[in-house]
Amino acid sequence: MVSDPEARFQHLVEKVRQRGGRLTPQRVAILRILAASKGHPSVEQIYEQIQDDFPTTGIATIYKTVALLKEMGEVLELGFADGSNRYDGNRPTPHPHLICTRCGEIQDLDVPGLDEFLAQALVQISPETDYAIHSHRLDLYGVCQKCRAAGSRDSPAE
Amino acid sequence: MVSDPEARFQHLVEKVRQRGGRLTPQRVAILRILAASKGHPSVEQIYEQIQDDFPTTGIATIYKTVALLKEMGEVLELGFADGSNRYDGNRPTPHPHLICTRCGEIQDLDVPGLDEFLAQALVQISPETDYAIHSHRLDLYGVCQKCRAAGSRDSPAE
DNA sequence: CTTCATGCAAAACATTTGCAGCTGG
DNA sequence: CCAGCTGCAAATGTTTTGCATGAAG
């Protein structure tokens, strides 16, 4: 279901190139992290990871690159009420997420039949509301196994 | 589908009272606005509205009251990637929203069969992921009639 | 009277912006 | 070369916090 990180990385590189964007070492490193990440990192987390390879990288550079990818539709942005944003660089098309409200873990999810269900629902909804729908978001919130075992208190995302 | 504003207001008042919270004039005004609002106001918008009745009210008071209601599960919070949060004080239970990505308008939505669909999907998902799911969020993003007519550029929420 | 809430201002964050200097192509 | 990117610092915007004063119950 999730594309091969290397292939995805190559795809991102190609997209940026096509757009006339430069492939600086920092930018390439960001693309690599996003393409490989399974955990829907925040900008802060990307920033920390990149320190290993390019310790001088400023956080503004991460923001700028993520904004570029967002604009190109190559990254999916998930915003939360506490102000934290997380990014999915593997699958930029809307897809459901499973989110632990204790530790903040975010997993991709497959809900069989979701797209069909939504498509069918839209047939009824669109005429009535007169919206041109182009995207969606489905989150399921819960508590993951680890957190239930630990038995602590709530806190992060949503 | 949306409860009577007055009834909802009474309900909120009662809940706050039960919890041992005080019913100051400012707080009552906030409850009234939230109970009546159809447009999923931001804190800022509540703040502006309340100036008519209580011009000295500080915005921190709004934040505190909204946090109280959130903690009691009497308001639904919708967070967006641009940092803006919007609140639904009518229907605190998760339900789908239709969101215009140009003007930021948020409408409640009925997707017939959604709850059944999700419930059935969870039967398959839960065992496999081992999450205890307690909530969800479904947004549909599009462009509303007015904005399409105006034909401007994108910008706000998501 | 005794909390708890208010309202102000300061602090805390996350994100954006401006700009001089650097560098990929 | 030179347009676009970097990295720093300052600016912005939102939400939280601390605390003295005030009022609900």
Side-chain angles (χ1 to χ4, degrees):
Chain A
M1 198 83 263
V2 173
S3 59
D4 165 45
E6 185 56 26
R8 178 75 191 147
F9 168 67
Q10 293 300 342
H11 173 83
L12 291 179
V13 166
E14 191 47 36
K15 283 287 178 182
V16 170
R17 197 197 310 278
Q18 279 171 22
R19 196 186 179 282
R22 282 186 192 160
L23 291 166
T24 64
Q26 296 91 329
R27 189 172 274 185
V28 170
I30 296 168
L31 297 188
R32 200 183 293 284
I33 290 170
L34 277 169
S37 71
K38 297 238 47 181
H40 304 76
S42 63
V43 164
E44 191 65 33
Q45 288 166 335
I46 299 173
Y47 179 63
E48 282 161 20
Q49 267 196 63
I50 214 174
Q51 297 305 307
D52 302 337
D53 299 301
F54 300 93
T56 67
T57 309
I59 201 161
T61 298
I62 321 279
Y63 277 106
K64 285 165 187 165
T65 298
V66 166
L68 175 73
L69 293 173
K70 206 189 337 176
E71 180 206 306
M72 298 193 303
E74 291 295 334
V75 84
L76 191 64
E77 185 177 48
L78 295 176
F80 295 97
D82 67 350
S84 63
N85 286 345
R86 308 276 294 261
Y87 299 89
D88 190 332
N90 299 306
R91 297 172 63 186
T93 358
H95 58 275
H97 290 95
L98 194 54
I99 299 167
C100 177
T101 49
R102 288 207 187 145
C103 66
E105 179 187 83
I106 302 180
Q107 289 187 23
D108 284 338
L109 188 68
D110 263 296
V111 175
L114 175 65
D115 291 340
E116 293 74 7
F117 176 79
L118 285 180
Q120 157 265 310
L122 289 192
V123 176
Q124 305 177 262
I125 293 164
S126 279
E128 160 185 341
T129 59
D130 205 10
Y131 263 63
I133 291 168
H134 54 62
S135 180
H136 68 269
R137 168 176 180 173
L138 175 62
D139 296 344
L140 300 183
Y141 301 104
V143 183
C144 72
Q145 221 290 313
K146 282 194 295 287
C147 287
R148 260 178 301 141
S152 53
R153 177 102 302 101
D154 244 278
S155 68
E158 203 85 335
Chain B
M1 196 85 262
V2 172
S3 57
D4 166 44
E6 185 55 26
R8 177 75 192 147
F9 168 68
Q10 293 300 341
H11 172 83
L12 290 179
V13 166
E14 192 47 36
K15 283 286 179 181
V16 170
R17 197 197 310 277
Q18 279 171 20
R19 195 186 179 281
R22 281 183 191 163
L23 292 165
T24 64
Q26 295 92 328
R27 189 170 275 185
V28 169
I30 296 168
L31 298 187
R32 199 182 294 281
I33 289 170
L34 277 170
S37 70
K38 299 238 48 183
H40 305 76
S42 64
V43 163
E44 191 66 32
Q45 288 166 336
I46 299 172
Y47 178 64
E48 282 160 21
Q49 266 198 63
I50 215 174
Q51 298 305 308
D52 301 339
D53 300 302
F54 300 93
T56 67
T57 310
I59 200 162
T61 299
I62 321 279
Y63 276 105
K64 285 164 186 167
T65 298
V66 167
L68 176 73
L69 293 173
K70 203 188 343 174
E71 180 206 305
M72 299 193 305
E74 291 296 334
V75 84
L76 191 64
E77 185 178 47
L78 294 177
F80 295 97
D82 68 348
S84 64
N85 286 344
R86 308 276 295 263
Y87 299 90
D88 190 333
N90 299 305
R91 297 172 64 186
T93 359
H95 58 276
H97 290 96
L98 195 53
I99 299 166
C100 178
T101 49
R102 286 206 188 145
C103 66
E105 178 188 85
I106 302 179
Q107 288 187 24
D108 284 339
L109 187 68
D110 264 296
V111 176
L114 174 66
D115 291 340
E116 293 74 7
F117 176 80
L118 285 179
Q120 157 264 310
L122 290 192
V123 177
Q124 306 177 259
I125 291 165
S126 279
E128 160 187 341
T129 59
D130 207 10
Y131 262 65
I133 291 168
H134 54 62
S135 181
H136 69 267
R137 168 175 180 173
L138 175 62
D139 295 345
L140 299 183
Y141 301 105
V143 182
C144 72
Q145 221 291 311
K146 280 194 296 286
C147 285
R148 259 178 301 142
S152 52
R153 177 100 303 97
D154 244 278
S155 69
E158 203 84 339

